[in-house]
Amino acid sequence: MDKQFDEVLDLEWRGIPFRATLVREQFNSEFHHIELRADRPLPMTETGYRSHFMHKEQFEQYADLKTFILDWFNEAAESKKWARIQENYAQPSLFD
């Protein structure tokens, strides 16, 4: 059975291509479900995959899914953890 998404976006952030999907009011609830998938780490996930639920009222503060995601990425990219992930991704260690 295929998932039915309300929105599917293929985007790029700082040279990293990824797919974002949105299901509004997942499970007939007050929450929207957002999934992110990439072939490399993203600022909020070292695996390239993230499942995120947010209250629909919180989501409505943004103009659209793309605006929310890019704001989220930019905020998460300010962390020291993201800098470390980027460094490790660019130059993997044999000893980790």
Side-chain angles (χ1 to χ4, degrees):
M1 177 181 194
D2 290 336
K3 288 185 178 180
Q4 296 299 314
F5 301 112
D6 293 312
E7 197 167 344
V8 177
L9 298 175
D10 290 314
L11 300 169
E12 187 173 301
W13 178 82
R14 297 185 187 176
I16 303 171
F18 67 96
R19 174 167 280 188
T21 60
L22 170 68
V23 177
R24 295 179 187 279
E25 299 177 357
Q26 179 76 45
F27 309 120
N28 295 317
S29 72
E30 299 287 311
F31 292 87
H32 294 343
H33 181 235
I34 298 167
E35 278 187 344
L36 303 173
R37 292 180 184 270
D39 292 335
R40 59 174 286 184
L42 297 170
M44 67 291 294
T45 171
E46 292 183 44
T47 66
Y49 175 79
R50 176 73 185 253
S51 174
H52 179 74
F53 287 89
M54 69 185 300
H55 197 277
K56 66 182 184 179
E57 289 180 6
Q58 182 185 9
F59 184 80
E60 290 171 2
Q61 296 174 16
Y62 296 89
D64 54 29
L65 179 60
K66 181 178 178 180
T67 301
F68 166 72
I69 290 171
L70 295 179
D71 284 353
W72 187 18
F73 276 43
N74 290 329
E75 182 179 328
E78 294 176 10
S79 72
K80 290 180 182 178
K81 182 177 180 180
W82 175 241
R84 186 179 90 295
I85 290 169
Q86 284 292 96
E87 184 177 308
N88 289 341
Y89 184 82
Q91 189 172 23
S93 172
L94 297 174
F95 305 105
D96 285 340

